[in-house]
């Protein structure tokens, strides 16, 4: 009992102490928490991001820059509006893409929208691959089955003082490796073994805002095990340009594409169609030209457009070249008159800072011709268009400084025999200027929406190109958009010849078709009847034909004239004269061999092109796009006689050793070796073109339509008989022919043992011809020929045995 009483007294004594201790502890906790509340950061305000230290650039969005952070102030009125996001390579490392990628190359174009979702701003891609009229029920299904991807989600930092805009921090977005806007596609990453973006060597170079666009320049550095240049650095550094351009709210009425007229195009799948399937539609890409006076335009008068197409010259363009570049643009003004517009296109010199302090070639309101200090020999004519309608919004044509050297060299090689002024390394300034003018005109054509039209050079008869009267009026091809740079057909003694290309009748025709407004047409479909008539009125005239370079020998790059065998024969005659005088026109003048070496290498390329034009006839198929209302077939194989003529020409001018190309006075001064391999490489290009499975398949298919055609068996047999002609006689085989004959056997072997699917007849033909060749060489090796020829035949026989019986 005493123990219980004692325990009770102790408990009564301790309990108040514990309670008081808890109270003290609670008070202590409150006092420790209070300071933490006072230290909690205040909710950011507008002044947190925009203050005295902030640099602000006014434009489409306000862009604020402060302490390395970039803030977009996005007006709420712009949320949901469609913008075009264009990713371009601004500057590239040497060798990127193997020389086929240039500074200024477009990598990606996508429509984007900024949308608010709760406390975030989402940047979403809006696709126009699938469309439907938003008044139709199916529109909901199109939206549900084409969910728009979110590129990035930004936290809303705050609003502007009057709550009309939200602020988001875009620093991380533009300094991270975001695949959706990357200028280094996955195939480059694989090819160059790119591991990661190095953030310590990557940064935002600048962000500038203009009234209709925002331009972001990013400098990105990647760790890469196999970079295209500077291999020991294990690094690729690339400068990227992100252009965000506001798209017009009043959409231009698109014009439906017709493959019978050459235009770049955009496409989508339209689910509004009443047909039994979704309707694939394509629209041409073109500038919006609207007459100031529609009534006068409809009366057939020339009318100025409300907004002409204007190109500004790069302030860095050398003064002596400016007039030629300007002429190259202005030449198109006369072409647009065919479509009813006067003063529709022009070039202007760049304004001075006093004239326009805000002028910038990055501003989307100004299209430009940029002069790039680069050793690249090229020029390009890219443009940016609205993917909803095909309307071209802006264009920046690029001219690379060294490009004129290519034209000087080809001018000498292709026209020097008949053109005395081309026989020099110091081409007259006016002639160089004329070449530059025509290159600019060609690139402007691309920027107007016109692709290459390789069929245009086939429109003119070969011998007409030897006529001064004809060439001065018509040029050397029906369009500037063909790769028909020089008149290599004109012969020594021909008078008053135009040697340089120019705008032609097809250019007037295509611009009229694409840009002339169709009266009383309010939809693209309502224009079709008129557009179709414009085509069919010209359909029987080859001058107005459009042809893409594929399998059609009448649509080949760099060719001129409507008979490749005849044209290349003229070209070879001229090239032999040039080869004979090449030292005289180069090294004898400069007292060094650098130019001789360069021009000899390019001379071999010219020879190869002339040969290739003839090769294209064998297994070639003419393609003339037509509608069912037009007469004739779309596809017609080249007739047998023309193919046999081409094969005979190739045996004489390509596969026979071309001793005139092996001039000791040239070779012994430019290289110590490599002559046989160089010649074999050029011959193999033609040989393996002929032995291409697709070509052989076309020839086999042609037999179905015409049993009198030149067959695949005919071609392989004629090829064998010509290349091994020495084996039928007691003749030694020279080193060039020995190499070529072995290449023929190797090529046949690859076809026979290929695991790729081919027409069954191809392997039968190859096996039969190799067995025939085996018999032929078994006899030839026993003839009285020199030892190396005997060894060669024995080696060929061993190769054939290994192909026919690999075991």
């Amino acid at each position: 009992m005493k123990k219980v009483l004692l325990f009770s007294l102790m408990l009564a004594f301790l309990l108040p102490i514990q309670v008081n201790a808890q109270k003290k502890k609670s008070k202590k906790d409150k006092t420790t928490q209070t300071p933490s509340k006072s230290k909690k950061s205040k909710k950011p305000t507008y002044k947190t991001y925009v203050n005295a230290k902030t640099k602000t650039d006014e434009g489409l969005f306000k862009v604020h820059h402060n302490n390395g952070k970039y803030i977009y102030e996005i007006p709420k009125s712009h949320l949901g509006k469609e913008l075009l996001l264009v990713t371009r390579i601004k500057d590239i490392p040497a060798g990127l893409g193997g020389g086929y990628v240039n500074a200024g190359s477009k990598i990606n174009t996508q429509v984007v929208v900024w949308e608010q979702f709760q406390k975030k701003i989402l940047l979403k891609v809006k696709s126009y691959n699938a469309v439907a009229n938003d008044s139709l029920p199916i529109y909901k299904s199109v939206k549900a089955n084409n969910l728009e991807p979110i590129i990035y989600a930004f936290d809303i930092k705050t609003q502007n003082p009057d709550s009309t805009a939200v602020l988001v921090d875009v620093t991380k977005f533009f300094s991270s490796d975001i695949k959706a806007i990357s200028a280094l596609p996955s195939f480059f990453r694989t090819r160059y073994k790119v591991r990661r973006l190095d953030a310590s060597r990557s940064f935002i170079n600048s962000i500038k805002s203009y009234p209709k666009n925002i331009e972001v320049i990013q400098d990105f550095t990647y760790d890469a095990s196999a970079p295209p240049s500077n291999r020991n650095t294990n690094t690729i550094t690339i400068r990227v340009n992100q252009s965000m351009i506001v798209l017009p709210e009043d959409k231009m009425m698109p014009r439906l594409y017709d493959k019978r007229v050459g235009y770049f195009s955009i496409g989508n799948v339209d689910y509004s169609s009443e047909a039994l399937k979704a309707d694939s539609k394509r629209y041409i890409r073109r500038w919006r030209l609207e007459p100031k006076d529609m009534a006068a335009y409809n009366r057939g008068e020339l009318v100025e457009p409300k907004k002409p197409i204007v190109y500004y010259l790069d302030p860095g363009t050398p003064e002596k070249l400016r007039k030629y570049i300007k002429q190259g643009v202005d030449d198109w003004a006369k072409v647009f008159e065919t479509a009813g517009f006067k003063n529709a296109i022009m070039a202007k010199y760049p304004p001075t800072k006093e004239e326009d302090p805000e002028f910038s070639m990055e501003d989307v309101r100004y299209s430009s011709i940029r002069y790039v200090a680069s050793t690249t020999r090229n020029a390009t004519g890219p443009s940016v268009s609205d993917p909803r309608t095909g309307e071209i919004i802006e264009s920046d044509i690029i001219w690379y400084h060294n490009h004129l050297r290519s034209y000087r060299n080809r001018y000498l090689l292709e026209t020097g025999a008949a053109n005395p002024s081309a026989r020099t390394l110091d081409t007259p300034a006016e002639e160089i200027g004329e070449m530059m003018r025509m290159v600019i005109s060609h690139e402007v054509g691309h920027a107007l929406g016109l692709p290459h039209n390789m069929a245009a050079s086939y429109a003119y008869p070969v011998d007409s190109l030897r006529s001064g009267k004809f060439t001065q009026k018509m040029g050397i091809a029906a369009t500037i958009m063909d790769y028909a740079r020089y008149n290599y057909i004109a012969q020594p003694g021909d008078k008053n010849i135009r040697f340089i290309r120019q705008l032609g009748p097809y250019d007037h025709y295509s611009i009229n078709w694409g840009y002339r407004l169709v009266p009383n047409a309010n939809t693209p479909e309502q224009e079709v009847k008129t557009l179709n008539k414009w085509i069919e009125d010209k359909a029987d005239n080859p001058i107005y034909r459009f042809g893409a370079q594929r399998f059609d020998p009448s649509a080949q790059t760099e060719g001129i004239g409507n008979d490749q065998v005849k044209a290349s024969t003229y070209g070879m005659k001229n090239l032999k004269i040039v080869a004979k005088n090449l030292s005289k026109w180069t090294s004898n003048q400069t007292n060094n061999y650098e130019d001789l070496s360069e021009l000899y290498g390019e001379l071999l390329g010219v020879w190869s092109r002339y040969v290739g034009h003839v090769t294209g006839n064998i297994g070639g198929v003419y393609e003339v796009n037509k509608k069912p209302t037009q007469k004739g077939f779309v596809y017609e194989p080249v007739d047998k006689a023309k193919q046999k003529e081409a094969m005979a020409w190739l045996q004489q001018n390509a596969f026979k050793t071309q001793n005139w190309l092996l001039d000791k006075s040239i070779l012994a001064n430019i290289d110590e070796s490599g002559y046989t391999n160089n010649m074999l490489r050029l011959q193999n290009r033609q040989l393996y073109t002929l032995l291409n499975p697709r070509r052989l398949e076309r020839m086999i298919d042609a037999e179905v339509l015409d049993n009198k055609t030149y067959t695949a068996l005919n071609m392989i047999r004629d090829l064998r008989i010509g290349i091994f002609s020495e084996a039928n006689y007691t003749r030694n085989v020279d080193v060039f022919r020995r190499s070529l004959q072995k290449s023929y056997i190797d090529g046949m072997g690859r076809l026979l043992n290929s695991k790729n699917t081919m027409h069954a007849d191809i392997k039968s033909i190859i096996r039969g011809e190799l067995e025939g060749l085996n018999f032929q060489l078994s006899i030839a090796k026993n003839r009285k020929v020199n030892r190396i020829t005997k060894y060669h035949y024995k080696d060929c026989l061993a190769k054939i045995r290994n192909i026919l019986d690999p075991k």
Side-chain angles (χ1 to χ4, degrees), residues 687-698:
L687 175 63
Y688 292 147
T689 297
L690 292 173
L691 295 178
N692 184 285
R694 287 291 298 121
R695 187 176 301 269
L696 295 172
E697 287 170 3
R698 283 200 303 272

Side-chain angles (χ1 to χ4, degrees), residues 519-530:
N520 304 316
N522 297 313
T523 68
E525 290 72 20
Q526 290 175 1
E527 294 184 323
V528 170
K529 184 177 179 180
T530 300

Side-chain angles (χ1 to χ4, degrees), residues 417 488-489 491 565-579 603-604 606-612 614 649-650 653-654 658 660-661:
Y488 59 79
I489 285 173
Q491 297 294 292
V565 171
K566 192 173 189 179
S568 289
T569 299
Y570 279 135
M572 289 297 188
K573 285 182 180 179
N574 284 337
L575 204 57
K576 288 176 182 178
I577 294 171
V578 172
L603 182 143
L604 294 178
V606 173
W607 173 84
S608 183
R609 280 197 295 273
Y610 295 166
V611 174
V614 177
W649 191 94
L650 289 172
N653 294 279
Q658 304 299 298
W660 62 276
L661 288 173

Side-chain angles (χ1 to χ4, degrees), residues 706-718:
D706 180 6
N707 58 13
K708 294 182 180 179
T709 190
Y710 190 54
T711 66
L713 176 57
N714 294 152
M715 190 271 280
I716 296 291
R717 177 163 291 178
D718 287 348

Side-chain angles (χ1 to χ4, degrees), residues 58-126:
E58 300 272 357
L60 179 63
F61 300 167
K62 287 182 180 179
V63 176
H64 306 294
H65 183 211
N66 190 352
N67 197 27
K69 296 288 186 182
Y70 287 91
I71 306 295
Y72 277 9
E73 184 175 325
I74 306 174
K76 291 181 180 178
S77 60
H78 280 66
L79 295 177
K81 284 191 176 180
E82 296 175 342
L83 304 120
L84 197 64
L85 183 59
V86 183
T87 302
R88 279 181 282 223
I89 298 176
K90 186 173 177 62
D91 297 302
I92 62 172
L96 187 76
Y100 293 98
V101 177
N102 300 310
S105 295
K106 248 188 316 187
I107 299 298
N108 195 12
T109 301
Q110 48 198 332
V111 177
V112 298
V113 291
W114 299 84
E115 290 184 357
Q116 184 169 354
F117 176 72
Q118 297 177 357
K119 294 182 179 181
K120 290 185 179 291
I121 295 294
L122 309 179
L123 183 60
K124 300 173 70 173
V125 173
K126 191 167 184 179

